[in-house]
Structure formats: structure tokens, C-alpha cells
Amino acid sequence: MNNKAHRLAWLDGCRALAALLVICMHVTEIWIPYISADDAIGQGLRAMTHQFNLGTFGVYVFFLVSGFVIPFSVRGEGLAACRTFLIRRFFRLMPMFWFSIPLGVVTTHWMWHKDFGWDALLANVLLLPNLFDLPFAEGLYWSLQAEVTFYLLIAALLLVQGFARSSVVLSYLGVIAAGKLLEKSGLQAYHFYPVAMLVLEMLKIIFIGWLLQRLFSERRLGKMDWLLLGYLLFQYFVKRPMNAWHFYQHGERWLDHLSVTLAIVVLLLFRGLNIRHALLAYLGKISYSLYLLHPVIMYSALYHVAVTPDSFLRQWPLLWVLAGVLLLTVAASHLTWRFIEWPAQQWGKRLIVRQSVPDVKVQVQPAN
């Protein structure tokens, strides 16, 4: 492991934790009808998921990590740097995403006799189904829309040679301004409105990771960056906890109001304590596959229970079901990493090298 990878190994731990939380939340949610009254751990997880959306919390951790690591993948600025960045991100994200679509269609829709036509399939391939009021092949694809939007923003900054001198503050304010304009646009009735508003909200979280990366790597933030950092500290460590306390006093869901705050704390703890472990590093490496494949495994298990009244899974406590889904997902993710993700990333690197080598015209001198 090179020095840079060693210094950033704690980020794989964050990814691993995020993936595990998402899996725990989703499996618990769909298994609620089958949790027996004497399953103490299952009932505890059920109560926790009712009070706190672990899945959303895990996604927030993913977003913070994305904002933190993206600057490390930038090499220079200008057209060549923009092209290189987009090729890297494309081959990192899209092949595995496209591979998961038919699996999601079968296990999330067709097995349950839900409509999912060719129009929905094409819209999913383009990652735009909710713009046309069509279903996602997997419900968690919404988070990829925020990721892709962030990548396109970075690419635009690279293209105009503004990434190095760009301010996170301006990007953050731009997102806020876009949200305000949308609110006053009168477009609330259109399908793209809630999609755009959600993406803008998620971009704010990604920008927090970007700001923290600049804080820890440069240690020389501008005045506006420090003002934004102070504003975020107030929002997430003063205002949000006060709101949570208000909802707690009224007996309402309150932990959800601390999701982003706790995600920031997790990122800071992993970095501050430099938490590294071989298992976490491995799970972090395959975390994208874990994220995309666990719905396939868990809905397959749920279908087996639904159509088989005497299914052995009905007798399992929730913890066993979680462990089974996780083990099968890890096994499947290992294969997709080995045969899809890793080869795709290597193809991207070869394409970058091929495009970076200028054409050399060889002139043959006539023989004397």
C-alpha cells in the first residue's frame, strides 16, 4: 500500500460502516412482519429503525466520504483533466450500476408482479426515471443522482480551470440559491421539482465533506470558508440538536434530525482515531457492490418467505436473517468487484493513458 492509500485507509472504514448500516436498515424494514415477539434483538432493531433511519444516515456518510475523496482524484485542470476525471468516474460508477439494473428489475418488480416496462428500463439506464414518474429498478438509485450531479459540477470547474481556486462557499451558496429559485419558480407540480430539491439538499452534505478535506489537507482556508465552517457548526451542532430535543420532548421522532450531525462525527472520529482494519478495508473496497446488490439478495429471501409458508427463514431470528443476507451480499459483491468493478476501472485507466499519448507521425526518409 502506498503512502497516500495508507493515509486514506480510514475512509474505507467509513464506507464499510455506511454500507452495513444501509443493509441493516433495509433488511429490518422489510422483515418486520416476520419478527417474532420473543426475538429481543429483532424487536430492538425494529424499534431503532422506527426511531432512527439508519439507511439515510449511512447514505449521508457515503456523501461525506465522496466530498472528501473527490479532490484526490483530480489531476490538473483544463479539458484534459476534465476528460480524465469523467472517464475515471464513469468507469467507477456506471458499469456496476448498469449490471445491477436487470437484477433489481427482476427481484424488486417482476417477481412481485409489479409493472416495469421498457420505458422504465431505459429511464433507469439514464438514471432519470423519477423525472418521468417512472419507478427505480432499485429504490436506492436516488442517491446516485446526487453523486453524478456532484461529478458534473467538478468536471465543469475543471473545464473552466476553476477547481483549484474555486471556493466551497460559492458552490454551497450556489446550491442554496438554486433551491430558493426553484421554490419560487412555481414548478412544484412537475416531476423534476422534488428530484431537483432532493439532489440540491444532498449536494450540501457532499460539500461538507469537500470543505473538511480542504480544512485537513490545506489548513489554510479563506475567510469565507471559515465563515461557512462556523455556519455549519452552528447548524449541525447547535440548531439541529435543539430541534431534536424539541421533538424528543413532544414524543416525536427526534434522532432523524441528528443524522447529518452524527455522520460528520463518524467521519471525524474515523479520521481522528485513524481507524483501520483489514476487514473494514475489504468491505470498504467492495462497498459500492454491497450497496447495489443487497436489495437483490434481501428481496429474493423475502420472496422465498412470501411464497413458501413453511420456509425455514420464518423460524430464523432477525439477526440470523441479517447475517445471512450480509454474507451472501459480501460473496456476490466479491465476485462483482473482481469481474466487473476492477476490470472496468482498469479499462478506464487504459483509455486515459491511450488518450494522453499524442499521435506521433513517423516520417520515412528516402534511402540514399
Side-chain angles (χ1 to χ4, degrees):
M1 181 183 293
N2 58 43
N3 289 334
K4 179 181 175 182
H6 181 73
R7 285 186 284 108
L8 298 178
W10 59 271
L11 286 166
D12 278 328
C14 287
R15 292 190 181 99
L17 175 63
L20 293 175
L21 289 173
V22 171
I23 294 172
C24 178
M25 175 68 180
H26 288 164
V27 174
T28 301
E29 276 186 330
I30 69 168
W31 218 260
I32 284 178
Y34 304 103
I35 301 176
S36 64
D38 56 351
D39 181 1
I41 295 178
Q43 292 295 337
L45 286 172
R46 176 183 180 179
M48 180 185 299
T49 56
H50 174 72
Q51 187 62 240
F52 184 46
N53 193 329
L54 291 175
T56 301
F57 170 63
V59 171
Y60 290 165
V61 175
F62 272 128
F63 283 157
L64 289 173
V65 171
S66 293
F68 198 97
V69 302
I70 282 298
F72 293 111
S73 64
V74 171
R75 301 289 185 273
E77 295 196 71
L79 179 60
C82 175
R83 182 175 60 242
T84 297
F85 175 79
L86 287 176
I87 291 174
R88 286 181 181 274
R89 293 299 95 195
F90 178 88
F91 282 96
R92 174 70 180 90
L93 194 75
M94 301 309 292
M96 185 59 208
F97 163 64
W98 284 333
F99 176 79
S100 72
I101 290 176
L103 300 178
V105 172
V106 172
T107 57
T108 308
H109 298 274
W110 287 353
M111 285 199 320
W112 305 93
H113 306 291
K114 296 179 180 179
D115 291 334
F116 196 96
W118 290 105
D119 55 345
L121 181 62
L122 176 59
N124 272 266
V125 169
L126 299 175
L127 196 53
L128 298 173
N130 47 353
L131 291 182
F132 305 100
D133 198 27
L134 294 170
F136 283 117
E138 293 185 8
L140 47 71
Y141 285 167
W142 66 268
S143 59
L144 301 184
Q145 292 178 323
E147 286 279 334
V148 171
T149 304
F150 179 59
Y151 296 161
L152 294 177
L153 172 63
I154 297 298
L157 290 173
L158 291 174
L159 185 61
V160 300
Q161 300 186 16
F163 178 80
R165 62 179 181 272
S166 65
S167 170
V168 184
V169 177
L170 294 179
S171 300
Y172 194 91
L173 292 177
V175 167
I176 293 178
K180 295 297 183 183
L181 287 174
L182 272 177
E183 288 178 357
K184 298 180 181 299
S185 65
L187 300 174
Q188 286 82 351
Y190 292 88
H191 294 310
F192 72 84
Y193 178 83
V195 179
M197 294 300 292
L198 178 61
V199 167
L200 290 174
E201 284 300 313
M202 296 305 103
L203 281 176
K204 293 179 185 178
I205 300 173
I206 297 176
F207 288 157
I208 295 174
W210 187 9
L211 179 64
L212 291 175
Q213 185 275 333
R214 286 201 165 183
L215 173 65
F216 293 130
S217 62
E218 299 178 8
R219 301 182 184 276
R220 291 182 302 174
L221 298 181
K223 292 182 179 179
M224 295 298 293
D225 293 320
W226 282 111
L227 286 174
L228 175 60
L229 183 61
Y231 168 79
L232 294 174
L233 287 173
F234 173 78
Q235 283 290 321
Y236 293 108
F237 290 90
V238 178
K239 186 176 180 180
R240 292 291 180 90
M242 291 175 62
N243 291 340
W245 176 249
H246 170 79
F247 284 102
Y248 172 76
Q249 288 183 313
H250 289 79
E252 301 178 31
R253 287 174 62 110
W254 59 279
L255 275 172
D256 285 350
H257 297 273
L258 298 177
S259 295
V260 179
T261 303
L262 294 176
I264 296 172
V265 170
V266 165
L267 185 75
L268 295 177
L269 282 177
F270 269 80
R271 183 191 180 277
L273 300 177
N274 200 18
I275 297 176
R276 296 194 303 260
H277 190 276
L279 179 59
L280 289 177
Y282 168 70
L283 293 176
K285 181 179 70 173
I286 65 172
S287 59
Y288 185 46
S289 284
L290 290 174
Y291 187 65
L292 292 178
L293 292 183
H294 79 269
V296 176
I297 304 297
M298 72 178 191
Y299 278 116
S300 298
L302 184 65
Y303 181 77
H304 176 74
V305 170
V307 301
T308 311
D310 58 346
S311 170
F312 65 95
L313 291 176
R314 290 177 179 266
Q315 310 303 320
W316 281 18
L318 178 60
L319 190 60
W320 290 18
V321 175
L322 267 173
V325 169
L326 179 59
L327 288 174
L328 289 175
T329 305
V330 169
S333 299
H334 176 80
L335 294 175
T336 53
W337 163 261
R338 174 68 179 82
F339 295 107
I340 297 177
E341 287 197 72
W342 175 251
Q345 293 178 36
Q346 298 310 303
W347 294 338
K349 290 179 180 179
R350 286 195 291 269
L351 180 59
I352 291 170
V353 171
R354 191 179 305 123
Q355 292 194 353
S356 64
V357 177
D359 294 332
V360 179
K361 296 182 180 180
V362 180
Q363 295 182 350
V364 180
Q365 299 294 333
N368 293 326

